């Protein structure tokens, strides 16, 4: 039997496994089975916490479809709560610093990337106002914050058919590694509403890296100034970024319960 914790950040929920206490062989099929909300434990992402030679812990992230991804902002906030102290975390996206605060955590998410081949896109183009769009959506921006994001700033967020356009854009050939799709509405100089279709997970209540990418894009376009409060269906995150610097993300993290499972049955 292996132990796990169920955690969430603004309703974006995780099964967190401590692989430091014993190795757990994780495959795409096993991760998908664990994430299944009907036949498994159920989660948006499966998080594996391990040892790292250059950090306090490592974090490996699997989406609900079993695909491994580089970054997850909401899960990163859960790591210091899971470990019980401030930590440095080695991820595929780089080394992150996470600090406990009352009710959650604050995380240095590193510096965003804007080069077309860092997003990555299939070919060169401007990433601040991309010469591409879908149906009636405005020209988007693209930002890599450890994983790829595209951001559409719309006039009426509630009028966007997210569940239809999200998967269409996620799978577009323009994005060789697929993409997280962000639909945002600026409602004040320091306030943005956001809905995210997450690569490999679909529509989620919150996406931390999506909030980071959206705030950065809004600041770059000078339609918002930081720190930006990003309101997602699950609640608020505060994102602070200045051009040339790293992104600071602050928000809640919640431990729900602990459990045991026989991983060989998945």
């Amino acid at each position: 039997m292996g132990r796990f914790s169920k955690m969430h950040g603004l309703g974006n929920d995780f099964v967190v496994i401590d692989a430091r206490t014993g190795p757990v062989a994780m495959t795409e099929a096993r991760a998908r089975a664990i994430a299944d909300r009907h036949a498994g434990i159920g989660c948006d992402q499966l998080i594996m916490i391990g040892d790292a030679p250059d950090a306090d812990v490592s974090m490996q992230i699997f989406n609900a479809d079993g695909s491994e991804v580089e970054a997850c902002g909401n899960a990163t906030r859960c790591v210091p709560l899971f470990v019980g102290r401030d930590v440095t975390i080695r991820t595929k996206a780089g080394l992150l610093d996470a600090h406990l605060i009352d009710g959650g955590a604050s995380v240095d998410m590193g510096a965003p990337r804007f080069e077309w081949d860092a997003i990555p896109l299939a070919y060169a183009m401007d990433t601040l106002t991309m010469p591409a769009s879908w149906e009636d959506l405005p020209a988007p921006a693209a930002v890599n914050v450890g994983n790829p994001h595209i951001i559409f700033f719309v006039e009426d967020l509630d009028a966007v058919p997210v569940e239809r356009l999200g998967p269409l854009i996620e799978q577009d050939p323009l994005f060789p590694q697929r993409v997280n799709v962000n639909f945002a509405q600026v409602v004040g100089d320091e306030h943005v509403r956001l809905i995210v279709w997450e690569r490999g997970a679909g529509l989620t209540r919150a996406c931390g890296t999506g909030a980071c990418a959206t705030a950065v894009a809004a600041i770059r376009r000078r339609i918002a100034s930081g720190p930006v409060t990003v309101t997602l269906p699950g609640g608020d995150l505060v994102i602070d970024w200045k051009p040339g610097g790293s992104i600071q993300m602050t928000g809640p993290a919640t431990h729900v319960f602990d459990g045991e499972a026989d991983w060989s049955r998945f």
Side-chain angles (χ1 to χ4, degrees), residues 47-96:
I47 309 300
M48 302 280 290
I49 303 298
D51 293 315
D54 60 344
D56 295 317
V57 295
S58 66
M59 177 172 66
Q60 194 175 11
I61 308 158
F62 296 86
N63 276 333
D65 68 353
S67 59
E68 187 176 355
V69 293
E70 307 90 344
C72 178
N74 288 323
T76 304
R77 293 199 314 279
C78 289
V79 175
L81 185 63
F82 180 81
V83 176
R85 58 184 173 85
D86 298 348
V87 287
T88 56
I89 308 164
R90 169 56 63 188
T91 73
K92 281 194 167 185
L95 194 63
L96 306 178

Side-chain angles (χ1 to χ4, degrees), residues 219-220 241-245:
I219 292 168
R220 287 189 78 210
W241 175 74
K242 292 178 175 58

Side-chain angles (χ1 to χ4, degrees), residues 15 47 81 83 120-121 130 164 218 264:
V15 169
I47 309 300
L81 185 63
V83 176
L121 303 177
M130 296 170 61
R164 181 172 62 81
S264 67

Side-chain angles (χ1 to χ4, degrees), residues 98-132:
H99 302 275
L100 287 169
I101 61 170
D102 187 23
S106 184
V107 181
D108 184 333
M109 295 293 291
R113 299 283 305 275
F114 309 113
E115 305 90 349
W116 70 270
D117 52 347
I119 300 299
L121 303 177
Y123 48 87
M125 69 172 66
D126 177 24
T127 61
L128 181 57
T129 305
M130 296 170 61

Side-chain angles (χ1 to χ4, degrees), residues 27-37 39-42 64 66 265-266:
T27 63
E28 182 175 316
R30 177 168 287 169
R32 188 167 56 246
I34 292 169
D36 190 295
R37 296 190 183 277
I41 299 170
R265 299 184 65 179
F266 290 94

